[in-house]
């Protein structure tokens, strides 16, 4: 029987960027945008607040873009401070690269195992799915989902009792499957 686990975000991740006021390196996004129009051109920024001092920083989303080239429903979402749009834009590699920021997902996600009660079976087949691009170590997910220590998961993989087509070392944000034999 195949179990499906889902890694879902619980809140917006922290933005890793240096604060110019207090030298902190973490900002929190609350889904607020600033939209500024210059005749036919529009600028859009995602506002983030320093975790320590509360100083506001702007992450560029659109810069000197012709208003007619922006879909009206997208412009409405900017004006409405849509938190779902903020989550989408924080995960956009183009926006992160343009602003030279990274994301800190610690404490911003959870693993939903669907209440798997057959974890004590001889063979467990699990399909892990990601609701968002959250970089997590597969060993950590397997340990958390099965109620094992990470060292135990590594030992099971070395013994060949934990099998996966995906690489279990390092981080992944893509779906993968694994089989655990006890």
């Amino acid at each position: 029987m195949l179990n499906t686990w889902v890694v879902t975000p619980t809140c917006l991740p922290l933005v890793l960027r240096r604060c110019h006021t207090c030298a902190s390196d973490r900002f929190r996004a609350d889904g607020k945008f600033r939209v500024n129009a210059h005749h036919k051109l529009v600028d859009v920024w995602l506002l983030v607040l320093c975790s320590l001092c509360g100083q506001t920083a702007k992450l560029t989303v659109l810069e000197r873009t012709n208003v007619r080239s922006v879909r009206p429903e997208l412009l409405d979402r900017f004006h409405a401070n849509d938190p779902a749009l903020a989550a989408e834009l924080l995960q956009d590699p183009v926006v992160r690269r343009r602003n030279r920021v990274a994301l800190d997902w610690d404490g911003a996600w959870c693993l939903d195992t669907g209440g798997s009660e057959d974890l004590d079976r001889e063979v467990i087949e699990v399909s892990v799915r990601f609701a968002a691009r959250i970089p997590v170590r597969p060993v950590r997910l397997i340990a958390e989902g099965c109620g094992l220590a990470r060292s135990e998961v590594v030992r099971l993989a070395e013994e060949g009792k934990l099998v996966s087509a995906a690489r279990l070392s390092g981080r992944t944000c893509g779906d993968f499957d694994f089989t655990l034999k006890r």
Side-chain angles (χ1 to χ4, degrees):
M1 184 171 148
L2 182 69
N3 296 319
T4 301
W5 295 355
V6 181
V7 179
T8 56
T10 56
C11 61
L12 292 175
L14 292 176
V15 176
L16 299 176
R17 174 185 174 163
R18 181 73 54 200
C19 178
H20 298 294
T21 305
C22 70
S24 169
D25 63 347
R26 303 217 187 290
F27 283 79
R28 64 184 189 284
D30 57 357
K32 302 250 189 258
F33 293 93
R34 174 154 184 225
V35 181
N36 194 10
H38 306 280
H39 303 289
K40 295 180 183 180
L41 303 177
V42 67
D43 293 320
V44 178
W45 298 279
L46 174 62
L47 302 177
V48 292
L49 302 170
C50 177
S51 298
L52 286 179
C53 69
Q55 181 70 27
T56 302
K58 300 184 289 188
L59 302 180
T60 303
V61 177
L62 297 176
E63 190 170 37
R64 301 289 181 191
T65 306
N66 192 318
V67 174
R68 292 179 187 251
S69 68
V70 180
R71 294 187 328 269
E73 59 273 2
L74 180 61
L75 204 52
D76 290 341
R77 289 177 74 188
F78 287 135
H79 285 295
N81 292 322
D82 186 358
L85 179 59
E88 289 174 32
L89 292 171
L90 280 175
Q91 294 182 33
D92 186 359
V94 174
V95 172
R96 288 198 320 253
R97 190 172 29 253
R98 176 188 299 151
N99 292 285
R100 290 185 224 101
V101 298
L103 300 179
D104 179 10
W105 282 97
D106 287 343
W109 60 272
C110 68
L111 177 64
D112 179 18
T113 60
S116 300
E117 291 150 8
D118 35 323
L119 293 176
D120 55 345
R121 299 178 87 190
E122 189 87 17
V123 177
I124 304 168
E125 292 183 15
V126 178
S127 174
V128 180
R129 302 292 170 241
F130 286 80
R133 294 186 51 83
I134 303 171
V136 184
R137 296 182 188 282
V139 170
R140 179 178 178 186
L141 292 176
I142 296 168
E144 187 175 317
C146 294
L148 302 171
R150 287 187 210 170
S151 59
E152 179 74 9
V153 172
V154 171
R155 186 184 63 75
L156 289 170
E158 289 172 352
E159 292 176 357
K161 294 182 178 180
L162 175 62
V163 181
S164 176
R167 191 180 65 154
L168 297 178
S169 62
R171 293 180 183 260
T172 185
C173 54
D175 301 344
F176 68 95
D177 301 327
F178 70 89
T179 304
L180 179 62
K181 302 171 192 167
R182 296 189 189 232

